[in-house]
Amino acid sequence: MKLKYSMLAAGVALQTFLMTGNVLAATAEEMAELDTTRTCVGALKAGNAEGTIPEWSGKWQGVPDHVNFEGTGNHPVDPYPQDTPLFVITAQNMDQYADRLSAGQKALFEKYPNSFQMPIYESRRDFRFPDSVCDVTRQNAQNAKLVDEGEGVEATTGGILFPFPKTGLELLWTSSIFTYRPWTEELISDNAYVLENGNINWGRVKSRNLAPHLKPDTSGPTEGQSSFYLNETILPERDRGEINTGMEFWNHTKQPRQSWRYDPGTRRVRQSPEYGFDMSFPGTGGSITVDEVRIFNGSPKRYDWKIVGQQEMYIPYNAYRLHSNEIKYSDLLTPGHANPEHMRYELQRVWVLEANLKGDYRHIYGKRHMYIDADTWFMVMADNYDARGGLWRTSMVNYFYAYEAQTWQAGVGFYHDLQAGSYLAFNLVNEQPKAYTLNRGTLTDRDFGPQAARRAGL
C-alpha cells in the first residue's frame, strides 16, 4: 500500500490540537491551491502518472445536456450508458491488483472465489458542487475548528468543513456530519438480509431526512439542529408501524443525539437514550450497528482517530445502473454478495481513516478502516474488525450524482458479514415505484420528533 501522508505528522498534529485547542487552519500555500491545482473543495485536479485516473473536469453541474432525467423521485439515469468494463478482477488475478484493494475486498475474493468479481470501468470525474459550496469551503479552510476534544464543531454550514484535514477527527467530521448532501430526502426502500443459503429476510422502511443547513445557496453558523430523521417500518409485518425519529446537533457533548421510538403495540412514544454506537439498527436483524449506516455517523468519542494516508483504490463509483428499475431483486441479490454484473468500480483516490477503540469504552468493533472518496468527501467503504483483531464485516455504499440536488446521493449499501456468510442490502429502490425524492423542500422540523411520531402512528 503506497501512502502519501505521514502517519507521524498526523499523530503530532492530533496531539497538538487536543492539547492546545488551536485551529489547524489551512496554510497560505494550501489556500492558493484551491481552484488552481486543486478543486474548490481540496481534491487534486491532476490525474495520475499512468493516466488511469483522469484529470478532474467538473464539466457538469446538474443534469448534463444529453441526459433525459424527468425529475426527482425517478430512478437515476446513467450519464455514461456506453461504458463497458475495461477488465474484471477475479480471485484468480487479484494478486495483480492487491495494492489497490481493501482488506475487505480481498476477503470477499477469498470467501467467494468462484463468484465474487469486480468489473472495473473507466474512471470519471465530471461533476462538480455548486459555487456556493466553494465559497463556504474557503471560509471553513481558514476558520473552522473542532471543540470539546472533537465532540463539536464551530464552522459555517453549506460547504466542506476541512479541505486540508490535519487530524483524524478533522477528516471524520468532514466526511460524516459535514458532507454536502441533499437538503431533504424522502423514500420508501427495501432492505434484504441475504442469508448464507440464499434465503432472504425482507424489510421495508419509509424514510424522511432533513438537513436544514443544506438548503441550497444558504450558509450560517453551526447552531441548532444539524439534521432530523424519521423512519417508519412497513415490513416485516411483526414490526409494522414502528417509528424511530430523532435529531442531531453540532456538539455531541453539549447536545447529544435525541431519539424517540413509537411502539404500535402500546401506541406510546418513548425516548431512546444513547441511541447510536453499536446498538443494532432497527429492522436489520442485528446485521449492522446504528453508527455504521452510511459507514459512520454520530459521536466519535469511543475511538481514537488517525489519518493513515491517501492511496489509489478500486471503489464503487457512479452507481447509476445499480439502481435501475429494470433490475429485479431476484437477479441482483445472489448468495454471498450482489450480482457483479450490476456493479461498477473505478480507480479513484481515497483517504484512509483508522479508528481504534479506546480502552475505557466498549463497542463490538475494536478497529475500523474507512475509505473516503477524495473528490466528494463521502465515505464509500469500511472494514470493521472484532475485539480480537479479526476482520469481521466489510461494507460499501454505492453513490451517484443526484442531478436535482447537485451533489452525490447515497444509494444501496452492501454490508457483508464475513463470518456468517450473509449480507444486508440496505436502501434498495429498484422495485419501488419511486426512487429518491430529493430537495423537494416540503419537510420542516414539525415532521420529526415525538409529536410527529405520535401523529404518524395514529
Side-chain angles (χ1 to χ4, degrees), residues 51-245:
T52 48
I53 294 179
E55 182 178 2
W56 179 83
S57 75
K59 61 183 179 182
W60 294 328
Q61 181 180 325
V63 186
D65 291 340
H66 69 285
V67 172
N68 182 24
F69 180 63
E70 297 182 357
T72 195
N74 289 283
H75 289 77
V77 179
D78 191 353
Y80 309 112
Q82 75 284 357
D83 283 7
T84 58
L86 301 174
F87 58 94
V88 177
I89 303 176
T90 67
Q92 290 69 44
N93 66 10
M94 63 172 283
D95 289 345
Q96 301 176 37
Y97 309 98
D99 62 342
R100 290 174 170 175
L101 299 174
S102 70
Q105 290 169 334
K106 294 175 185 177
L108 288 170
F109 280 120
E110 292 169 1
K111 190 169 184 65
Y112 307 106
N114 298 320
S115 59
F116 185 71
Q117 298 181 350
M118 292 175 55
I120 308 301
Y121 285 75
E122 180 180 351
S123 301
R124 303 284 194 170
R125 305 174 67 198
D126 294 327
F127 289 98
R128 69 183 188 273
F129 288 112
D131 292 342
S132 61
V133 175
C134 303
D135 296 338
V136 172
T137 300
R138 294 189 71 87
Q139 297 178 45
N140 284 336
Q142 297 176 298
N143 302 316
K145 63 179 180 179
L146 300 183
V147 296
D148 290 332
E149 297 185 330
E151 279 285 277
V153 64
E154 294 179 3
T156 302
T157 65
I160 301 303
L161 185 57
F162 296 111
F164 301 99
K166 304 298 194 301
T167 71
L169 280 168
E170 286 192 349
L171 179 55
L172 173 71
W173 273 86
T174 301
S175 58
S176 57
I177 289 179
F178 227 96
T179 53
Y180 185 77
R181 59 192 187 277
W183 165 38
T184 65
E185 179 184 28
E186 303 163 79
L187 74 154
I188 295 177
S189 62
D190 295 307
N191 297 325
Y193 183 41
V194 185
L195 304 177
E196 187 174 25
N197 62 8
N199 291 338
I200 299 177
N201 295 331
W202 287 99
R204 181 171 295 160
V205 177
K206 181 179 181 180
S207 302
R208 304 176 199 155
N209 298 299
L210 167 65
H213 65 286
L214 291 177
K215 184 177 181 180
D217 298 317
T218 62
S219 62
T222 46
E223 297 174 350
Q225 294 94 338
S226 64
S227 61
F228 300 83
Y229 64 89
L230 187 145
N231 300 314
E232 179 180 351
T233 300
I234 300 173
L235 292 176
E237 284 292 341
R238 66 178 181 274
D239 298 325
R240 186 178 181 89
E242 178 181 312
I243 296 171
N244 289 276
T245 184

Side-chain angles (χ1 to χ4, degrees), residues 288-309:
I288 62 172
T289 62
V290 170
D291 71 0
E292 68 178 309
V293 173
R294 299 193 185 182
I295 305 302
F296 186 86
N297 67 85
S299 167
K301 70 180 180 181
R302 296 192 181 185
Y303 290 93
D304 289 318
W305 300 86
K306 69 177 181 181
I307 298 174
V308 177

Side-chain angles (χ1 to χ4, degrees), residues 174-395:
T174 301
S175 58
S176 57
I177 289 179
F178 227 96
T179 53
Y180 185 77
R181 59 192 187 277
W183 165 38
T184 65
E185 179 184 28
E186 303 163 79
L187 74 154
I188 295 177
S189 62
D190 295 307
N191 297 325
Y193 183 41
V194 185
L195 304 177
E196 187 174 25
N197 62 8
N199 291 338
I200 299 177
N201 295 331
W202 287 99
R204 181 171 295 160
V205 177
K206 181 179 181 180
S207 302
R208 304 176 199 155
N209 298 299
L210 167 65
H213 65 286
L214 291 177
K215 184 177 181 180
D217 298 317
T218 62
S219 62
T222 46
E223 297 174 350
Q225 294 94 338
S226 64
S227 61
F228 300 83
Y229 64 89
L230 187 145
N231 300 314
E232 179 180 351
T233 300
I234 300 173
L235 292 176
E237 284 292 341
R238 66 178 181 274
D239 298 325
R240 186 178 181 89
E242 178 181 312
I243 296 171
N244 289 276
T245 184
M247 58 192 72
E248 304 270 4
F249 299 88
W250 297 108
N251 190 308
H252 301 295
T253 296
K254 294 180 178 178
Q255 293 178 297
R257 173 186 288 165
Q258 295 184 30
S259 184
W260 297 267
R261 175 180 176 271
Y262 172 81
D263 182 350
T266 62
R267 303 184 71 179
R268 294 184 63 184
V269 177
R270 292 185 172 88
Q271 190 157 18
S272 304
E274 282 239 326
Y275 178 75
F277 302 108
D278 57 354
M279 292 177 62
S280 175
F281 191 83
T284 65
S287 57
I288 62 172
T289 62
V290 170
D291 71 0
E292 68 178 309
V293 173
R294 299 193 185 182
I295 305 302
F296 186 86
N297 67 85
S299 167
K301 70 180 180 181
R302 296 192 181 185
Y303 290 93
D304 289 318
W305 300 86
K306 69 177 181 181
I307 298 174
V308 177
Q310 261 197 43
Q311 72 172 106
E312 297 174 2
M313 291 185 67
Y314 294 112
I315 60 174
Y317 219 75
N318 287 312
Y320 298 89
R321 300 181 197 177
L322 180 62
H323 301 91
S324 168
N325 57 0
E326 296 180 1
I327 297 176
K328 299 299 182 183
Y329 295 150
S330 58
D331 182 47
L332 175 62
L333 303 174
T334 51
H337 51 79
N339 187 340
E341 292 182 7
H342 303 303
M343 298 294 293
R344 177 180 178 128
Y345 299 88
E346 297 181 11
L347 185 65
Q348 297 287 351
R349 296 186 182 98
V350 300
W351 290 89
V352 183
L353 177 64
E354 182 175 300
N356 288 284
L357 187 63
K358 295 177 180 177
D360 51 348
Y361 282 102
R362 64 169 295 278
H363 197 288
I364 64 171
Y365 300 139
K367 181 171 73 172
R368 306 166 81 157
H369 278 153
M370 301 167 191
Y371 305 93
I372 300 155
D373 173 38
D375 279 358
T376 65
W377 296 104
F378 284 104
M379 292 183 175
V380 293
M381 299 194 307
D383 293 331
N384 297 317
Y385 295 78
D386 60 29
R388 295 168 296 181
L391 181 57
W392 180 7
R393 292 172 173 169
T394 186
S395 54

